[in-house]
Amino acid sequence: MLDNALKEQVKSIFANLSSSYIFDVYVSDDHESRDELIGLLEETASCSDKIQVRLNQGNGLKFYLLKDGEKAGVTFRMVPNGHEFSTLLLAVLNYDGKGKNIPDAFIRSRVKALKGEIHLTTYVSLTCTNCPDVAQAFNLMSFINPDIKHEIVDGAINQSEVENLKIQGVPAVFAGKDLIHSGKASFGELLDKLEAKYGRDELLNQNNERQEYDVLVIGGGPAGASAAIYSARKGLKVAILAERVGGQVKETVGIENLISVPETTGEKLANDLKIHLQAYSIDIFENRTVEKVEREGKDKVVHVKGGEIYVTPALIVATGASWRRLQVAGESEYIGRGVAFCPHCDGPFYKNKQVAVVGGGNSGIEAAIDLAGICSKVTVLEFLEDLKADQVLQEKLKSLPNVEVYTNSQTTELIGNGEKIVGIKVRNRRSGEERTIDIDGVFVQIGLKANSDVVKGLVKTNAIGDIEIDGHCRTNVPGIYAAGDVSTVPYKQIIISMGEGAKAALTAFDDRIRGLPD
């Protein structure tokens, strides 16, 4: 299972464990995955004398993590292969206090302040690239707050549960019988959802002091990282507020157009950005949700969910963009039950089924090509008269026998039966004719929307929400700059965002030494 190279890596990862751990396994003798689970855990445990496996007779298949004999709040009902092997390793590291993703004291205080007993179940797929982030976030919360219990379930070996719950997308998170989350999310976003559902006590050690910086960057993607690094190189006191370093980049599987880097992945690039940021004296505040920005003279006051307050004369907004939604009836109600956004994660749920892809740009056509290899039929719906994807992708699409393409098609409604999507209503923009297409799922791929709400009403935005900037990344408000996908800069590309972040930082420094206008 684990080759020698991987075993050496695991030995290195577990070399400095402080406590003793047990993988406490409960599995029936006839379970089809019994030998695979035991083999994987025993090989993993062999990489450290601090870890052992304990076998027990049980029904089904599951195991717990024990630290110094005490049970953690995490249960695995899966064989943690694939992307979830990292979840297993991090569970041990984080429980030992040595994981790389452990949140800072303020975020930990928010987790501790959650009210009541909280029991969560996350259904995952071992091929899903978004699932580990969600599973690992809830594991961390269970280590921080003992009133949180988290169970991770592989849908593939617990198929009856998946069918009974009508799950058609992962990760799918349930609190009891209630679906509270589906799809990708950061630690901060998930914490926000738990606070909204369960409430919280007064925050422990809440910090209401105003923290002051020469430059404050909102957003941790390519533009935000670049802006912070260029500002720090000027010797300024700099901080980043972000949901996560990497931003939208983390959702990109392959990157082949970052000049001088022939090929990389979104995950690797996000990690490289963080490493580069950490090489400078930059305060990185992740898992933050900015609630509002105010002006006090030349200062900008940024209020963060939970009570933190940051003050700066130079604010660089690099909050990027997020996937657009159709904003039609049925969309919100059926997310995770037929409405999906990631073909890589959720495509396998639609094997031999009929799906629609809304959007004819590169992302939409790439999704349709991927899904055509899994689904019995793929229908592509494009709002405009022509597909906008690169010609090479269009030619590939035309070669596929199970794909139909309709242009001038406006999606007006997603139709469900109370449990899942069963159809999509489409209007022909030329003739006005409406029809319903029977489908089992729809993948929404209609581009990006600027994450500019936090400064709307404070700075000028255009009709679609992009922050208006001049050629130096200045907004109409002195001391507020915008960079990357959140701005009106043309072409939403990683390399352009990096350049715009650097430009915003250099402009802010220029304005600082010349003196900001009122």
Side-chain angles (χ1 to χ4, degrees):
M1 285 187 181
L2 305 184
D3 60 33
N4 290 332
L6 183 53
K7 281 185 179 180
E8 290 303 315
Q9 291 180 32
V10 176
K11 286 178 183 178
S12 175
I13 289 170
F14 288 157
N16 297 313
L17 291 179
S18 301
S19 297
S20 296
Y21 294 90
I22 296 174
F23 297 140
D24 203 21
V25 181
Y26 290 79
V27 60
S28 57
D29 291 335
D30 59 351
H31 197 286
E32 61 182 1
S33 298
R34 173 189 170 89
D35 292 342
E36 184 183 10
L37 175 65
I38 294 172
L40 176 65
L41 294 183
E42 287 182 341
E43 288 196 26
T44 303
S46 73
C47 296
S48 171
D49 58 8
K50 294 280 190 177
I51 305 175
Q52 60 179 290
V53 178
R54 185 166 67 194
L55 297 179
N56 306 275
Q57 184 64 36
N59 294 320
L61 176 147
K62 64 183 175 183
F63 69 96
Y64 304 99
L65 178 63
L66 275 62
K67 174 183 177 181
D68 296 331
E70 296 293 325
K71 185 185 291 187
V74 176
T75 304
F76 291 83
R77 284 204 285 131
M78 64 190 312
V79 180
N81 279 317
H83 293 295
E84 295 302 337
F85 186 60
S86 62
T87 300
L88 173 64
L89 301 184
L90 275 175
V92 176
L93 285 179
N94 287 338
Y95 206 23
D96 208 59
K98 296 180 172 63
K100 62 180 181 179
N101 296 324
I102 297 175
D104 58 59
F106 180 76
I107 298 300
R108 293 199 303 272
S109 73
R110 285 179 59 189
V111 175
K112 291 176 183 176
L114 289 166
K115 288 183 177 179
E117 294 279 341
I118 300 173
H119 297 269
L120 305 171
T121 305
T122 301
Y123 290 86
V124 303
S125 164
L126 300 183
T127 61
C128 170
T129 55
N130 291 325
C131 290
D133 286 344
V134 172
Q136 291 163 20
F138 285 129
N139 281 355
L140 264 173
M141 291 185 201
S142 74
F143 299 150
I144 295 167
N145 183 340
D147 289 333
I148 299 174
K149 310 300 180 188
H150 182 223
E151 190 170 64
I152 314 169
V153 182
D154 178 9
I157 61 174
N158 295 278
Q159 196 62 42
S160 61
E161 287 182 45
V162 170
E163 292 173 356
N164 289 337
L165 292 168
K166 312 299 181 186
I167 295 172
Q168 289 185 289
V170 288
V173 184
F174 287 79
K177 294 183 179 179
D178 297 330
L179 178 67
I180 63 169
H181 175 77
S182 179
K184 64 184 182 338
S186 67
F187 187 103
E189 291 168 329
L190 296 170
L191 178 55
D192 288 348
K193 288 193 172 186
L194 292 187
E195 287 180 336
K197 181 173 180 61
Y198 294 100
R200 69 181 184 211
D201 297 317
E202 287 299 314
L203 292 182
L204 308 177
N205 303 317
Q206 180 168 321
N207 180 12
N208 286 317
E209 293 182 5
R210 293 156 64 102
Q211 303 182 64
E212 298 185 359
Y213 288 90
D214 297 325
V215 177
L216 187 64
V217 180
I218 306 177
S226 178
I229 289 167
Y230 265 74
S231 296
R233 286 175 62 86
K234 295 295 185 182
L236 302 177
K237 184 181 180 184
V238 182
I240 277 187
L241 300 174
E243 286 283 355
R244 56 183 179 177
V245 171
Q248 188 82 8
V249 158
K250 292 195 74 169
E251 298 162 27
T252 305
V253 177
I255 299 169
E256 298 178 351
N257 58 355
L258 185 58
I259 307 307
S260 85
V261 182
E263 185 177 355
T264 187
T265 66
E267 187 72 28
K268 185 177 187 307
L269 180 56
N271 291 337
D272 289 344
L273 289 175
K274 192 163 190 177
I275 290 169
H276 202 167
L277 286 166
Q278 291 169 337
Y280 292 88
S281 182
I282 298 170
D283 289 342
I284 303 171
F285 299 104
E286 288 191 273
N287 305 308
R288 263 53 176 195
T289 300
V290 175
E291 293 188 312
K292 63 179 177 178
V293 178
E294 299 175 321
R295 293 177 69 186
E296 288 185 2
K298 290 186 177 182
D299 282 334
K300 289 78 195 170
V301 182
V302 179
H303 297 263
V304 173
K305 185 166 187 177
E308 289 180 307
I309 299 172
Y310 297 84
V311 181
T312 184
L315 178 67
I316 299 176
V317 182
T319 43
S322 53
W323 293 114
R324 290 183 183 277
R325 294 191 178 182
L326 294 168
Q327 304 296 337
V328 298
E331 182 179 33
S332 296
E333 296 91 321
Y334 290 101
I335 289 176
R337 299 177 189 269
V339 178
F341 299 89
C342 178
H344 305 291
C345 301
D346 299 337
F349 286 94
Y350 299 90
K351 185 176 182 179
N352 299 324
K353 295 183 179 180
Q354 300 184 59
V355 300
V357 174
V358 181
N362 281 349
S363 60
I365 301 310
E366 287 173 354
I369 292 169
D370 287 345
L371 291 166
I374 302 170
C375 304
S376 61
K377 184 178 179 181
V378 178
T379 302
V380 176
L381 303 169
E382 166 56 41
F383 182 83
L384 300 176
E385 291 187 5
D386 301 296
L387 299 180
K388 298 303 178 185
D390 294 343
Q391 193 60 37
V392 64
L393 294 175
Q394 293 191 42
E395 292 300 323
K396 173 64 176 175
L397 192 74
K398 289 176 184 177
S399 72
L400 302 174
N402 60 335
V403 177
E404 286 187 344
V405 177
Y406 295 94
T407 56
N408 271 317
S409 297
Q410 179 182 4
T411 301
T412 58
E413 183 181 354
L414 302 180
I415 303 167
N417 62 6
E419 295 180 344
K420 62 180 182 177
I421 289 291
V422 296
I424 183 169
K425 189 175 287 187
V426 181
R427 183 178 71 86
N428 185 298
R429 296 178 58 239
R430 185 174 291 166
S431 67
E433 178 187 356
E434 279 199 336
R435 67 191 183 106
T436 298
I437 303 171
D438 293 335
I439 56 170
D440 300 294
V442 58
F443 288 80
V444 181
Q445 302 281 298
I446 56 174
L448 300 169
K449 175 184 180 296
N451 297 323
S452 59
D453 287 352
V454 70
V455 289
K456 255 183 187 169
L458 180 60
V459 301
K460 286 184 180 178
T461 58
N462 64 13
I464 60 173
D466 295 343
I467 298 174
E468 294 187 355
I469 57 171
D470 66 12
H472 292 80
C473 295
R474 295 185 183 97
T475 70
N476 64 304
V477 177
I480 300 183
Y481 311 85
D485 289 2
V486 74
S487 75
T488 51
V489 66
Y491 310 117
K492 311 304 186 183
Q493 297 290 310
I494 293 170
I495 196 166
I496 291 173
S497 291
M498 287 179 171
E500 290 293 298
K503 189 196 297 182
L506 294 172
T507 300
F509 183 73
D510 252 7
D511 290 346
R512 178 185 178 87
I513 61 176
R514 294 170 186 269
L516 279 174
D518 292 328

